[in-house]
Amino acid sequence: MFNLVTLRDELEKFRTLEDEQFVIRMDASEAAIYGDRVVALLHRAHDTLCAKYGLQLDGRTTVEVFPNPDDFAVRTFGLPGAGGYLGVCFGDVITANSPAAQVTPTNWESVLWHEFTHVVTLNLTANKMPRWLSEGISVYEERQRNPAWGEQMTPAYRQLIADGHLSPIRDLSGAFLSPPSPLHLMFAYYESSLVVEYLIAAYGFDALKLVLADLREGVTINDALQRRTAPLEELQAGFDAYVQQHVAAYA
C-alpha cells in the first residue's frame, strides 16, 4: 500500500539543486542526466518572463520533479492515482511529473516553462485570476518560447469550432469545470490561449498587464477586460473573427 512513509523514503533519494532563485528537487539519477538543463531552462524562464511582465520575485521558487506519478500525486493532491496532470503550480511551488512518469512522451521543457509562467501571473495577481486566463497565458507563453510548444490547431479542434463549441469569453472559466471529454478540456486550454493571443494582437501587451493589475486589486475579469479593451460584445465579435482566420489558415 502506498503511504506517506513511502513518499518520505522516495524523497530521500532526491537531489537538491539550489541557488538564489530556485530550490529544485529531482531524483538523483535523473538529476545526473539532465539536472543542469532543468536549472538553465528555469533561469531562462525567470529572466525572460519576469522582465516581460515587470515582476520582481522576492523569494525562491521551489520546483519538484517526480519520476513516480504516485509520488507526484501525493505531494500535489494528498492522494495517489491522480492522473492527467503534467505539472501543477501553487504560487511559488511547482510540482511536475518527469518524462519517466509518462506513458506517452512529453516535453518537460514546455511543461516547466508553462508552470513558471503560472508563478509569474499568480504572483502578479495575488492569486486573483480565473483559471482560463492563467492557463491561456501559460499556453501562449509556451508558443512564444517555441512555436512547437503549447496547444496548436488540430483537425479535432477545427471540428469543435465548426460545431459551435467555442465558449463565450465571459463564460470561459466554465469550460474547465465539467468538460464532456478530455478533448474538450484540452480545447479549453487552446481557446484560452487564443483569447490571450487576440487580446495582445488587438489591444497590445500593456492592456493585458493592466488587466492583471486590475485583478490584483479585486476587479472581476469581465470588468477588467471591458476597462482595458472593449465592451464584451465587441471583444467577442473581434475574437470570433480572429478564430475564423485561424480556421481558414489551417484549412
Side-chain angles (χ1 to χ4, degrees):
M1 179 179 294
F2 191 91
N3 54 47
L4 291 177
V5 175
T6 304
L7 176 61
R8 184 192 63 198
D9 293 341
E10 290 298 316
L11 287 175
E12 289 176 354
K13 301 176 185 177
F14 274 38
R15 178 184 173 192
T16 300
L17 311 170
E18 57 184 314
D19 54 32
E20 69 281 0
Q21 292 174 336
F22 290 98
V23 178
I24 303 164
R25 299 188 180 97
M26 300 177 64
D27 179 88
S29 61
E30 293 198 339
I33 297 170
Y34 67 103
D36 290 345
R37 291 178 60 196
V38 170
V39 173
L41 178 121
L42 287 170
H43 276 278
R44 285 198 299 273
H46 178 281
D47 295 346
T48 300
L49 295 168
C50 287
K52 182 174 183 177
Y53 285 85
L55 174 68
Q56 176 67 46
L57 285 172
D58 296 326
R60 296 193 292 180
T61 302
T62 298
V63 181
E64 298 178 351
V65 183
F66 295 89
N68 184 322
D70 277 339
D71 291 346
F72 164 80
V74 170
R75 177 70 173 93
T76 305
F77 305 110
L79 292 170
Y85 291 88
L86 299 177
V88 175
C89 176
F90 300 95
D92 294 319
V93 177
I94 294 170
T95 59
N97 277 303
S98 83
Q102 305 300 316
V103 175
T104 303
T106 58
N107 184 336
W108 64 265
E109 293 177 303
S110 67
V111 171
L112 292 182
W113 196 275
H114 178 108
E115 298 303 331
F116 188 79
T117 306
H118 283 311
V119 173
V120 172
T121 57
L122 291 175
N123 273 276
L124 278 173
T125 61
N127 298 300
K128 300 174 187 176
M129 65 187 308
R131 183 176 178 186
W132 77 259
L133 183 60
S134 183
E135 298 296 356
I137 293 175
S138 284
V139 175
Y140 169 81
E141 288 297 349
E142 283 185 75
R143 290 199 298 266
Q144 292 300 296
R145 173 61 185 171
N146 187 325
W149 294 0
E151 290 294 313
Q152 311 284 339
M153 179 71 80
T154 67
Y157 290 170
R158 183 175 181 273
Q159 190 60 51
L160 285 174
I161 294 170
D163 293 341
H165 288 284
L166 275 177
S167 298
I169 295 174
R170 67 169 64 246
D171 301 323
L172 192 47
S173 288
F176 290 89
L177 297 178
S178 55
S181 73
L183 174 64
H184 286 80
L185 176 59
M186 297 314 297
F187 181 66
Y189 280 83
Y190 175 63
E191 180 185 349
S192 298
S193 73
L194 278 189
V195 173
V196 171
E197 187 176 291
Y198 170 68
L199 291 175
I200 294 171
Y203 301 99
F205 184 69
D206 284 344
L208 177 63
K209 291 202 294 184
L210 288 171
V211 168
L212 296 176
D214 285 347
L215 293 175
R216 184 181 183 89
E217 297 303 317
V219 180
T220 65
I221 181 59
N222 289 338
D223 286 344
L225 288 173
Q226 293 190 120
R227 289 174 64 179
R228 304 306 182 181
T229 61
L232 287 180
E233 293 76 11
E234 180 181 335
L235 185 65
Q236 186 68 55
F239 175 65
D240 290 343
Y242 187 75
V243 170
Q244 291 307 316
Q245 292 173 9
H246 278 265
V247 169
Y250 186 76

